[in-house]
Amino acid sequence: MDKFSFARRTNWQQETNALNKAFEELQAQGIPVIDLTASNPTSCGFLYPEGMLSVLTKEENFHYQPDACGMVSARKVVAQHYTCQQLHVSPSDIVLTASTSEAYSFLMRLLVNPGEKVLIPRPSYPLFQFLLEINDVAFDYYPLQYEGGRWCLDLQALERLVDAKTRAIILVNPNNPTGSYISRAELNFLNEFCRKHQVSIISDEVFFEYSLIPSDAVSCAGNKAILTFTLGGLSKTIGLPQMKCAWILASGPQEALKESLARLETIADTYLSVNTPVQNALSVWLDYAPEIQGQIISRVKANWQWLSDHLNEHAELLSLQGGWYATLRIPAIKSEEEWVLEFLREDHVWVYPGYFFDFEREAYIVLSLLPPAPVFQKAVGLIMKRLSKI
Ligand SMILES: Cc1ncc(COP(=O)(O)O)c(C=O)c1O
């Protein structure tokens, strides 16, 4: 029989990579591995109040009243949540989705024709390649530069990369894994840049509330200068990725805003993917946001502080302003993959190699700051001990 032909966009490499292979080998031998790539908050020992679960048993969950953009009551709760950022937001500018990933897909369907492109940051969130390719969207990376102990947008590179096919620029604010926020000056530049080139902004702000130090960070939520889509969601805001609810907050010049919301409504209506129990639980859940964020922020800050106090001369901790990750620059005497394999096989500690996030140069490793302090400290101790053998 002839080989079955699948769509080219799914021609991904299927083999297990060397790091996963090494991890599986250790698992097969029953050797415990300390996982410093852990980014799932529900497996990092945080306490989720009982009241969050009981709200799911409400009688009204038996009634289905579909609303393409999400139930008005739920959108009102999300709008209200933005008052934490001193922002007045209208529920009618919000579209609920099942995840931020789905929100990206909706926005690609809204903004980008096949063959057109978006600009994405580098280093950044590794899922972009898939999210864009699945939607037949081309992309160019724009670099984030680490200068004077701070990450910033390479404004000249943006000017070089933009062309008539560019439809949107994606920001991750704060970025994963660099933990860097967009500054007021950068947003001012972007507004002018996007106006000039007829490009919209998509700002992924899932980590926005995880600010670790006072900074000049600005949110794109409510940005009116150009068409802007700000993304948020429960996976980070209340640390519950499995509850599957995220949102797009649209803002911008009136006419384009109105038109984009009407089109998004039709896209969302085609899927109706946000479930009713979660929407009914939203008001209770978002009331718990400060409590859950408080636990996560204190864990992240404590691990970050401990890391910075226990570095040796072979590890430089890059500055960060927010988020859940720390980046270490380590000597490029071997490749990132060799380093990460060595930590894994010899020390049974699993960290991310920088290339996972498309760092332009080697050698970087990225550590999740979510694991409980004793676990994190033990793993960092082992990493430093290995580096000290250089
Ligand atoms: C920058 C960024 N955006 C979005 C997500 C995922 O969000 P969701 O679970 O809502 O798809 C992640 C997950 O780690 C992320 O790092």
Side-chain angles (χ1 to χ4, degrees):
M1 201 177 115
D2 286 345
K3 203 162 177 258
F4 193 80
S5 169
F6 292 95
R8 273 191 302 280
R9 73 173 77 80
T10 61
N11 283 349
W12 298 297
Q13 216 190 339
Q14 303 283 0
E15 298 101 64
T16 318
N17 68 35
L19 301 180
N20 284 320
K21 245 187 227 160
F23 177 68
E24 282 165 15
E25 277 161 25
L26 291 171
Q27 275 199 317
Q29 294 165 53
I31 297 173
V33 170
I34 306 183
D35 185 4
L36 284 199
T37 68
S39 49
N40 172 1
T42 67
S43 48
C44 290
F46 297 109
L47 295 175
Y48 294 92
E50 171 58 32
M52 296 185 82
L53 213 51
S54 48
V55 70
L56 288 171
T57 60
K58 282 181 179 176
E59 167 72 23
E60 66 212 50
N61 289 335
F62 278 129
H63 302 288
Y64 184 40
Q65 278 185 309
D67 187 329
C69 295
M71 291 158 60
V72 176
S73 56
R75 285 187 280 141
K76 276 187 181 158
V77 173
V78 174
Q80 174 65 24
H81 189 68
Y82 275 97
T83 55
C84 310
Q85 291 181 33
Q86 277 80 49
L87 214 70
H88 180 74
V89 164
S90 164
S92 57
D93 294 341
I94 290 170
V95 178
L96 299 187
T97 60
S99 64
T100 321
S101 295
E102 187 179 63
Y104 277 115
S105 277
F106 284 11
L107 292 172
M108 292 307 114
R109 303 326 275 174
L110 174 72
L111 300 170
V112 193
N113 290 308
E116 293 179 335
K117 71 174 189 183
V118 299
L119 301 177
I120 58 173
R122 172 188 194 152
S124 193
Y125 185 38
L127 208 60
F128 283 138
Q129 185 194 338
F130 294 95
L131 287 171
L132 300 174
E133 284 177 358
I134 284 173
N135 285 291
D136 298 329
V137 169
F139 57 91
D140 272 329
Y141 290 105
Y142 65 89
L144 301 179
Q145 289 178 319
Y146 191 67
E147 276 173 3
R150 177 188 173 123
W151 289 96
C152 50
L153 301 183
D154 182 343
L155 307 181
Q156 285 165 356
L158 281 172
E159 290 286 8
R160 272 198 311 277
L161 291 165
V162 69
D163 61 28
K165 289 194 166 165
T166 311
R167 311 305 313 145
I169 173 166
I170 295 179
L171 312 173
V172 183
N173 187 28
N175 188 37
N176 168 6
T178 60
S180 47
Y181 284 86
I182 298 294
S183 69
R184 166 58 59 196
E186 286 172 329
L187 183 56
N188 290 346
F189 168 89
L190 285 169
N191 278 336
E192 188 47 33
F193 171 85
C194 292
R195 196 194 49 73
K196 191 165 94 190
H197 298 287
Q198 294 284 298
V199 164
S200 37
I201 291 181
I202 297 170
S203 185
D204 180 335
E205 304 201 347
V206 292
F207 287 109
F208 194 84
E209 289 150 307
Y210 293 91
S211 166
L212 303 175
I213 52 166
S215 71
D216 57 353
V218 285
S219 167
C220 294
N223 183 40
K224 286 197 170 40
I226 53 141
L227 195 54
T228 302
F229 303 95
T230 305
L231 312 184
L234 297 190
S235 66
K236 308 294 181 283
T237 288
I238 55 165
L240 290 176
Q242 75 276 35
M243 294 309 179
K244 295 288 154 203
C245 183
W247 53 85
I248 302 168
L249 167 62
S251 59
Q254 264 315 308
E255 205 179 316
L257 174 63
K258 205 169 147 219
E259 184 67 30
S260 65
L261 284 163
R263 290 172 187 240
L264 272 175
E265 183 173 355
T266 305
I267 296 173
D269 200 24
T270 312
Y271 295 92
L272 291 172
S273 49
V274 189
N275 74 72
T276 300
V278 162
Q279 294 184 75
N280 282 332
L282 223 49
S283 65
V284 171
W285 285 352
L286 286 179
D287 278 348
Y288 284 112
E291 185 177 335
I292 293 167
Q293 288 173 16
Q295 289 182 54
I296 296 180
I297 288 176
S298 43
R299 172 87 59 84
V300 163
K301 276 187 175 172
N303 282 341
W304 181 35
Q305 184 61 53
W306 200 88
L307 176 63
S308 109
D309 292 343
H310 291 81
L311 297 170
N312 63 28
E313 73 273 25
H314 300 298
E316 179 196 356
L317 174 60
L318 272 50
S319 72
L320 74 155
Q321 298 171 302
W324 295 357
Y325 302 95
T327 303
L328 290 180
R329 185 177 1 224
I330 59 174
I333 51 168
K334 55 185 104 176
S335 72
E336 282 170 353
E337 176 144 304
E338 286 168 324
W339 269 123
V340 173
L341 277 172
E342 192 169 325
F343 293 135
L344 192 51
R345 289 190 179 127
E346 306 298 326
D347 305 310
H348 309 145
V349 173
W350 198 3
V351 297
Y352 286 116
Y355 70 73
F356 189 73
F357 302 90
D358 289 302
F359 275 75
E360 256 173 316
R361 274 182 288 277
E362 298 217 353
Y364 295 93
I365 53 172
V366 173
L367 281 48
S368 166
L369 296 167
L370 288 186
V375 175
F376 183 82
Q377 293 175 9
K378 183 172 177 205
V380 169
L382 290 164
I383 291 171
M384 292 306 147
K385 198 166 161 202
R386 179 146 307 277
L387 290 173
S388 68
K389 291 181 187 154
I390 292 174

